[in-house]
Amino acid sequence: MKFRCFLAISDRAREEMGEFFLQPHRTSIVWAAKRHFLSLFTILATLALYYDLQTREPIEAAAGGGSVPTATIVLKNRIFIPIPKAISASFIPQTGEKKRFEVRADIIRTEISDDDQGPGNVNMRDS
C-alpha cells in the first residue's frame, strides 16, 4: 500500500506525545462512514497512542481499515500520519476550503496484572 496523502498531527499532540513516534511502531487505521478516523500506533504490545479525528462532514467511503504499513513522517516541527486512498478525498480541501477536525489523542498502556489468569486478560489504563 502506497500513501500519497498525509495529515499533520496537531501541535499539542506533537508537543506532548511526539517522542512516541521516534520509536519503531506498528500502524492500524480504522474509519467509520459517519465522521470518525482513528489511527492506532503501537510500540511492543504494551504501549499505544491513539489519534482520533472527528470530521465535520461524513467520510465519503464505507467503514473500513486495518493494519497498514507504517509510514509516519517525522520532521523537526511536524509529524505526518498516513491517510488511506479510500478516504483521502474527505481530508483534502477544495480550493478556498478549510478542513477542521476535532482531535482526541492519548497514550494507552496495557498491563497484565498478577491477578489475571492467562494471556488473554489485559487491563487497559489511560495515562
Side-chain angles (χ1 to χ4, degrees):
M1 174 182 290
K2 294 181 182 178
F3 294 102
R4 296 183 184 249
C5 181
F6 290 82
L7 180 74
I9 66 170
S10 69
D11 290 338
R12 182 175 177 188
R14 180 185 49 80
E15 290 166 7
E16 293 178 5
M17 297 172 251
E19 289 184 20
F20 182 93
F21 293 102
L22 299 177
Q23 304 296 316
H25 56 277
R26 293 187 326 232
T27 304
S28 297
I29 297 174
V30 179
W31 63 90
K34 300 260 181 190
R35 297 174 216 239
H36 283 280
F37 170 81
L38 174 69
S39 291
L40 186 65
F41 305 96
T42 307
I43 297 174
L44 304 171
T46 59
L47 188 63
L49 182 147
Y50 77 86
Y51 195 77
D52 179 19
L53 292 172
Q54 183 172 352
T55 63
R56 293 185 181 251
E57 297 87 25
I59 292 176
E60 299 174 6
S67 293
V68 298
T70 296
T72 308
I73 299 172
V74 180
L75 303 175
K76 181 179 178 182
N77 294 319
R78 286 274 181 240
I79 297 173
F80 296 90
I81 59 174
I83 304 295
K85 184 177 181 179
I87 60 172
S88 63
S90 296
F91 290 83
I92 299 172
Q94 301 298 317
T95 303
E97 178 185 27
K98 291 184 180 183
K99 294 284 186 175
R100 302 193 77 163
F101 307 100
E102 183 178 324
V103 176
R104 291 186 182 96
D106 207 348
I107 301 286
I108 302 170
R109 295 183 193 279
T110 59
E111 298 176 349
I112 299 174
S113 72
D114 295 335
D115 299 339
D116 292 334
Q117 305 264 337
N121 298 324
V122 178
N123 296 325
M124 304 276 300
R125 186 172 14 149
D126 287 343
S127 312

